[in-house]
């Protein structure tokens, strides 16, 4: 199964467009604009379809033309956007569509289709077991009913246990701590992926049927104890709001419970071969680039840290920098001090953090005597080898590099040469990355793909 996260935000998204809090400001500065939570499975099944979902699909390069099934979790307006059915009706398509969910959600949709539309509505409730083409859907109870009383009969909220062949996921939004009957129904499920709502972050006095961070951890602990979640389950936090801390901090907190925050546009592949994510983090001096890069791998049980700077005898200031980096890294991380990065990339078995490309380039320029005779063939050959190894690296890898092209022109020829070569290296690595982040004053800015 391929699950495209169309949105990972709460009803008001993250950031809230009317809010000036620090969390919203950080999300906006980083370009992390989360839409209302929904997902597209294999391009044929929608998990919730709020008003933002159709446009989100287009922004992420997908069409909804092949959608055959929509599963609504409950009737709140961020999860039910019936206008999507009207958009479909205008095409006069003859392709069938099955819409499932609680009665309160379906009742909002019926008036948006034509008499001749091939749309079937099926009200489901906890305990139902439905087959939809290649998918089996087990319907579970959510703890999210009190605030739906206005919707009338059938206003319960649902979770979906969705399987295709031997692959199985849980879609769990919106809900507070799960009912015992739901835990019992999921015992031993060994889900490949769990998408669990985590709305309120550090705000625990909300009095609603949602998860905050402590409740999320408690629910996840119970799922592990029952065998619903295993060591290989990908646990993704969704329905996130500005009550959470900024993403780097949230990532670190969630990693303690073996989870991670979902991102809009992220594709979660279940039972499918997928190249691990390769990320480049750029920034100036003291911009926070190393700390941000380390946070990206915080959830990994083991990481190899490639330190390319080495030790500099007689330089206490540099030694202190190295010491601070070392004490910040988890004890489970292995440090390798080397300039032979390409070999490490090719042979990697655990995720890598390369810090940094600037010191690696300096070492290669030293090795080839560039400062003496200006011959660059050897350096360019090393860059070619590094980029090739980076592209084929079989594990998740994050590289840190300096952004040196935005300041004044260096006064020396050697400075200008280094600046130009590092710009070339950064551009070539960025072209082979899934994600490129520019750190400015401690704030991450995600750079769009070309």
């Amino acid at each position: 199964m391929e699950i495209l996260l169309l949105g990972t935000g709460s009803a008001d998204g993250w950031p809230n467009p009317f809010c000036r809090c620090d969390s919203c400001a950080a999300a906006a500065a980083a370009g992390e604009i989360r839409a209302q939570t929904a997902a597209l499975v294999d391009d044929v099944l929608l998990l919730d379809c709020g008003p933002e979902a159709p446009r989100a699909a287009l922004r992420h390069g997908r069409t909804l033309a092949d959608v055959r099934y929509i599963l609504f979790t409950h009737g709140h307006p961020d999860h039910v956007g019936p206008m999507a059915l009207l958009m479909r009706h205008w095409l006069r398509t003859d392709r069938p569509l099955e819409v499932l969910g609680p009665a309160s959600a379906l009742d909002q949709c019926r008036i948006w289709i034509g008499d001749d539309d091939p749309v079937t509505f099926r009200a489901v409730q906890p305990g139902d077991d439905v087959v939809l083409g290649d998918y089996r859907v087990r319907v579970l109870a959510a703890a999210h009913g009190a605030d739906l009383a206005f919707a009338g009969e059938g206003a319960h909220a649902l979770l979906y246990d969705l399987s295709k062949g031997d692959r199985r996921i849980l879609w769990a939004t919106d809900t507070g701590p799960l009912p015992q009957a739901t835990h019992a129904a999921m015992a031993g499920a060994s889900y490949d992926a769990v998408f669990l709502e985590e709305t309120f972050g550090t705000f625990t006095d909300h009095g609603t049927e949602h998860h905050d961070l402590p409740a999320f951890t408690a629910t996840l602990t119970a799922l592990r104890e029952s065998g619903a979640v295993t060591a290989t389950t990908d646990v993704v936090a969704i329905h996130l709001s500005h009550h959470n801390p900024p993403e780097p901090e949230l990532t670190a907190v969630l990693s303690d419970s073996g989870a991670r925050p979902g991102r809009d546009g992220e594709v979660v592949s279940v039972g499918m071969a997928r190249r691990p994510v390769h990320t480049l983090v750029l920034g100036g001096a003291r911009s926070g680039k190393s700390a941000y890069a380390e946070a990206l791998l915080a959830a990994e049980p083991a990481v190899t840290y490639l330190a390319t700077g080495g030790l500099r005898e007689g330089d206490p200031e540099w030694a202190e920098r190295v010491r601070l980096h070392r004490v910040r890294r988890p004890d489970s991380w292995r440090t390798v001090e080397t300039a032979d990065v390409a070999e490490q990339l090719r042979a990697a078995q655990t995720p890598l953090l390369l810090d940094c490309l600037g010191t690696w380039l300096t070492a290669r320029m030293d090795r080839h005597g560039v400062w003496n005779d200006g011959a660059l063939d050897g350096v360019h050959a090393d860059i070619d080898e590094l980029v090739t190894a980076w592209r084929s690296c079989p594990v998740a890898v994050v590289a840190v590099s300096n952004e040196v092209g935005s300041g004044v022109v260096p006064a020396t020829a050697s400075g200008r040469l280094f600046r130009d070569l590092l710009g070339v290296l950064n551009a070539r690595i960025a072209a082979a990355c899934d994600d490129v982040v520019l750190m400015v004053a401690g704030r991450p800015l995600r750079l769009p793909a070309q």
Side-chain angles (χ1 to χ4, degrees), residues 98-153:
E98 294 187 63
V99 184
L100 283 71
S104 60
L106 303 187
D107 288 346
Q108 299 177 53
C109 298
R110 297 182 193 277
I111 63 172
W112 294 83
I113 67 170
D115 294 337
D116 56 347
D117 274 349
V119 179
T120 302
F121 293 100
R122 187 189 310 190
V124 292
Q125 57 188 351
D128 287 351
D129 195 330
V130 181
V131 175
L132 300 174
D134 295 332
Y135 304 93
R136 180 182 178 186
V137 182
R138 301 169 181 89
V139 185
L140 306 173
H144 192 66
D147 57 348
L148 290 168
F150 72 90
E153 188 68 24

Side-chain angles (χ1 to χ4, degrees), residues 8-16 19 21-25 27 32 34-37 78 196-203 206 208 210-213 237-247 250 254 261-262 264:
T8 56
S10 58
D12 53 345
W14 184 20
N16 180 313
C19 184
C21 75
D22 290 343
S23 179
C24 285
E32 286 287 351
R34 284 179 162 85
Q36 297 160 348
T37 291
D78 56 316
L196 180 61
E197 79 112 86
E198 193 285 287
T199 306
F200 278 97
T202 56
F203 178 47
H206 46 87
T208 67
H210 284 286
H211 282 97
D212 45 50
L213 280 168
I238 54 175
H239 209 266
L240 301 165
S241 81
H242 65 156
H243 293 291
N244 283 283
E247 184 173 322
L250 177 62
L254 288 174
D264 288 26

Side-chain angles (χ1 to χ4, degrees), residues 326-391:
R326 285 176 175 170
V327 299
R328 194 170 61 204
R329 299 195 290 269
D331 293 337
S332 61
W333 287 25
R334 181 174 69 99
T335 299
V336 176
E337 296 189 2
T338 181
D340 191 5
V341 171
E343 178 59 30
Q344 294 290 330
L345 291 171
R346 288 190 291 264
Q349 296 182 348
T350 61
L352 295 177
L353 196 159
L354 165 57
D355 195 351
C356 71
L357 291 177
T359 50
W360 174 85
L361 179 62
T362 300
R364 307 320 280 182
M365 295 174 76
D366 286 344
R367 176 183 177 185
H368 294 290
V370 169
W371 316 114
N372 299 323
D373 58 21
L376 298 177
D377 290 348
V379 176
H380 284 302
D382 286 348
I383 291 175
D384 289 341
E385 182 186 20
L386 178 67
V387 173
T388 299
W390 175 271
R391 290 182 182 276

Side-chain angles (χ1 to χ4, degrees), residues 4-7 35-36 51-62 264:
L4 168 63
L5 295 178
L6 299 176
Q36 297 160 348
E52 297 179 340
R55 298 298 171 202
L58 295 175
R59 280 194 296 274
H60 301 309
R62 301 299 178 93
D264 288 26

Side-chain angles (χ1 to χ4, degrees), residues 1-3 5 47 160-163 166-172 186 189-196 220 223 228-230 232-238 260 266-271:
M1 279 190 284
E2 179 193 81
I3 302 95
L5 295 178
L47 290 166
Y160 291 112
D161 178 337
L162 180 68
S163 57
D166 62 352
R167 300 302 175 178
R168 192 172 180 183
I169 70 169
L170 174 67
W171 183 255
M186 294 188 295
S190 298
Y191 291 111
D192 293 287
V194 167
F195 301 89
L196 180 61
L220 188 51
L223 292 176
V229 169
T230 70
T232 60
T233 303
D234 188 8
V235 181
V236 184
I238 54 175
R260 62 183 181 82
E266 175 185 352
V267 175
V268 179
S269 298
V270 174

Side-chain angles (χ1 to χ4, degrees), residues 272-353:
M272 301 169 61
R274 183 183 179 223
R275 186 176 71 82
V277 173
H278 294 175
T279 304
L280 174 62
V281 181
L282 298 164
R286 300 299 188 183
S287 61
K289 57 186 182 296
S290 292
Y292 182 85
E294 291 163 10
L296 291 178
L297 295 174
E300 299 291 344
V303 172
T304 299
Y305 185 99
L306 301 181
T308 61
L311 299 176
R312 302 177 184 178
E313 294 184 10
D315 190 339
E317 188 272 339
W318 180 259
E320 178 63 11
R321 284 174 179 259
V322 171
R323 187 191 70 81
L324 291 174
H325 275 253
R326 285 176 175 170
V327 299
R328 194 170 61 204
R329 299 195 290 269
D331 293 337
S332 61
W333 287 25
R334 181 174 69 99
T335 299
V336 176
E337 296 189 2
T338 181
D340 191 5
V341 171
E343 178 59 30
Q344 294 290 330
L345 291 171
R346 288 190 291 264
Q349 296 182 348
T350 61
L352 295 177
L353 196 159

